[in-house]
Amino acid sequence: MHIGVIGLGRMGGNIVRRLMDNGHQCTVYDVSEKAVATLAGEGATPAGSIEEMVEGLAAPRAVWVMLPEGKITADAVEALGAAMSADDVIIDGGNSFYKDDISRGAALKEKGIHYVDVGTSGGVWGRERGYCLMIGGDKDAVDRLDPVFKTLAPGRGDIPLTKNRESRDPRVLEGYMHCGPTGSGHFVKMVHNGIEYGLMQAYAEGFDVLKTKASPNLPEDRRFDLDVADIAEVWRRGSVVSSWLLDLTASALAGDEELSEFEGRVADSGEGRWTIEAAIEEAVPVDVLATALFARFRSRQDHTFADRLLSAMRFQFGGHAEAPGGEKQKVKT
């Protein structure tokens, strides 16, 4: 299949490579001429602009947008909508907000252009492992693009089959799913990333407990000098908490158990916040996911306003003033 791809960063570039590795033809565009030239050298057809890309594709066209969420994606979709024709398909494979997808899809539908939102999970390992795809959009457009999705998805691999799935969509076993109408793909990916925040926080806190067991603040007979790299490795093998995230954790710890290259300021890309907002709209409690998001906020500050407020309240009701070393000091009244 011939498809255009806009955005040739770490994920976009490898999406192009995985497609070309499996016989698809790709026309590529990026504001970085170097990125375009690199993929052109690997067999892709370069385009100097979005309009040039559209002109080089045979109708009905399909263009995959793999750009950061926000204005840059909105601008690319708007430019594509102006250049494309009825029955063409715009695919947003980034992490756009699902409500933006709904608005964009409705606007493009007036021109007869299909808009397909694809939540894409796989990161920089996607070329090798494949990408788990969560897809929203019209059935006709999604079905037309099936060869692309099937190529990008991981495939069945050696994962054991789940019982009682005989009557369900077989594409799910390949690692891609048509979730529903426009916006549903990114909504599912949004919640996926919210869950990811919680899993990562659980691992981080658990390993912190293990690592701190050697602290001199504990009685000597209760200290354990534990090898956290080996613990991560043994948990990968048969443990109920095994996962790809644990695999990545084990890899990081094996290289440097102290993680000395990392400062510890953890960013959030938006999906965690949106998941919490959706939970509030639906009145669904998400205690773990919310705490994981707030922990990321906390990681960027030495002391938060909330910490200062806690100290102020303790002073108000108990007279506990802050003192060096965190010890309590009684305030004179």
Side-chain angles (χ1 to χ4, degrees), residues 263-321:
E263 181 182 349
R265 293 170 59 89
V266 185
D268 68 289
S269 55
E271 296 89 349
R273 302 184 190 212
W274 300 337
T275 301
I276 306 308
E277 291 173 4
I280 292 170
E281 287 183 359
E282 301 166 15
V284 174
V286 286
D287 308 58
V288 171
L289 307 190
T291 299
L293 175 64
F294 297 150
R296 294 193 175 200
F297 298 164
R298 174 63 184 273
S299 75
R300 301 165 211 167
Q301 304 178 43
D302 292 329
H303 298 289
T304 67
F305 174 78
D307 293 330
R308 297 198 300 273
L309 184 58
L310 284 171
S311 289
M313 287 187 287
R314 293 181 75 247
F315 176 79
Q316 289 295 325
F317 69 70
H320 305 301

Side-chain angles (χ1 to χ4, degrees), residues 3 12 18 42 73 87 97 125 130 157 167 169 195 242 251 269 317:
I3 185 171
R18 186 171 175 91
E42 298 177 31
T73 291
D87 211 29
F97 186 37
W125 301 93
S167 61
D169 187 348
I195 292 171
S242 60
S251 178
S269 55
F317 69 70

Side-chain angles (χ1 to χ4, degrees), residues 314-333:
R314 293 181 75 247
F315 176 79
Q316 289 295 325
F317 69 70
H320 305 301
E322 295 179 337
E327 298 175 355
K328 296 179 181 178
Q329 177 178 312
K330 193 68 176 180
V331 176
K332 295 180 181 179
T333 59

